[in-house]
Amino acid sequence: MKAVVGSHDLLFVTLDTLRFDVAEELAAAGRIPHLARHLPGGVWEKRHAPGSFTYASHQAMFAGFLPTPASPGPHPRLFAARFAGSESTADGTFVHETPDLPSGLVGAGYHTVCVGGVGFFNRRPPLGSVLPGLFQESHWEPEFGVASPTSFEAQVACAERVVAALPPERRLFLFVNVSALHQPNWFHLPGATAEAGDSRATHAAALEYVDRHIGRLFAAASSRRRCFAIVCSDHGTAYGDGGYTGHRLGHEAVWTVPYAHFFLDPGASR
């Protein structure tokens, strides 16, 4: 990352609440073609989340603790705040002197932007201001939230405006928290009803919805120069697995997440 930071724009997308097994199945079945074409080898990497719910996981990721490969480590990190004794800081790690990645990237000349999704990014109560407050610029509207059937389209449109307004020479770190996978997501599956509620099938339909529009986000992020992208889940969620529903609990469906990073060349297709 020492060679990437300063020369590339950076895109970090969290597909909030996305389960690894659902992401893996849809990629294998050809149901998320726009995402799959960028995944190394066409597959998601299996990783372990740094937290079991949005706030905890993002606090960790913004300190450089991205989801950890699901195999024995230690695993070198892409980004790290300087910390004595860190076993995951390697020669190629981008090391910053600040406590969080957004401020570290500001020091490297980046403009940092957050396009929020779930409630921890809505800036309404003080708790909803902590995570977006790490960025120089942040955006959230009700249309971006979990209750909106068109949330991701609205978020992508916001990201496009952000990119268009930034001077071409300024480096950009763009973060997007995608809310569409989070409950409620029943409205993404044709024929589903609010009474029947959310399910693994509606969760999958929400990922297909995101895939239909993510090409626009990739195109915007790479419209000015080559872009390094990280796309992952912050945690999974349970739909009756072992009797559990939801997250902020210690179940495999919650702790196991999909992860990928890759480069987007200028003019990446929509």
Side-chain angles (χ1 to χ4, degrees):
M1 290 308 297
K2 286 181 179 178
V4 171
V5 172
S7 62
H8 292 60
D9 281 346
L10 305 174
L11 173 67
F12 182 19
V13 180
T14 53
L15 302 171
D16 204 291
T17 317
L18 177 59
R19 294 169 57 122
F20 174 77
D21 56 358
V22 170
E24 181 182 46
E25 289 171 14
L26 266 61
R31 293 170 60 184
I32 49 171
H34 300 98
L35 276 164
R37 67 188 294 261
H38 295 288
L39 303 179
V43 298
W44 294 98
E45 182 183 355
K46 183 178 183 180
R47 291 201 175 196
H48 293 144
S52 63
F53 70 109
T54 299
Y55 186 80
S57 190
H58 281 82
Q59 281 282 25
M61 290 191 291
F62 289 151
F65 299 98
L66 296 172
T68 307
S71 59
H75 300 282
R77 285 190 287 144
L78 298 178
F79 311 98
R82 190 173 301 282
F83 187 80
S86 171
E87 295 183 355
S88 54
T89 301
D91 290 342
T93 302
F94 171 71
V95 179
H96 51 90
E97 304 295 335
T98 63
D100 58 84
L101 177 60
S103 61
L105 290 172
V106 169
Y110 282 79
H111 182 63
T112 62
V113 181
C114 168
V115 178
V118 304
F120 286 114
F121 295 92
N122 67 14
R123 304 203 72 130
R124 289 184 170 180
L127 183 60
S129 298
V130 174
L131 296 175
L134 299 175
F135 293 80
Q136 293 171 307
E137 179 182 345
S138 66
H139 300 269
W140 189 87
E141 301 291 341
E143 291 77 15
F144 301 174
V146 297
S148 170
T150 56
S151 60
F152 190 51
E153 296 158 81
Q155 289 180 299
V156 170
C158 177
E160 290 171 331
R161 292 191 294 270
V162 165
V163 172
L166 195 65
E169 68 277 5
R170 189 72 186 275
R171 298 294 186 266
L172 172 66
F173 173 48
L174 175 62
F175 167 74
V176 183
N177 172 254
V178 178
S179 67
L181 287 303
H182 197 284
Q183 297 93 327
N185 53 45
W186 62 268
F187 39 71
H188 290 297
L189 182 65
T193 64
E195 292 71 26
D198 302 318
S199 66
R200 199 173 177 280
T202 64
H203 187 79
L207 181 57
E208 290 179 297
Y209 159 70
V210 170
D211 185 72
R212 289 195 293 272
H213 299 281
I214 203 162
R216 285 175 50 205
L217 179 61
F218 290 163
S222 60
S223 62
R224 299 159 0 109
R225 61 182 58 84
R226 201 175 194 222
C227 177
F228 180 79
I230 299 168
V231 181
C232 66
S233 176
D234 55 340
H235 59 80
T237 198
Y239 290 101
D241 305 74
Y244 290 100
T245 299
H247 38 273
R248 201 163 60 84
L249 50 91
H251 191 278
E252 177 73 7
V254 175
W255 285 111
T256 308
V257 296
Y259 174 94
H261 64 238
F262 46 85
F263 290 96
L264 294 168
D265 289 317
S269 72
R270 292 171 173 267

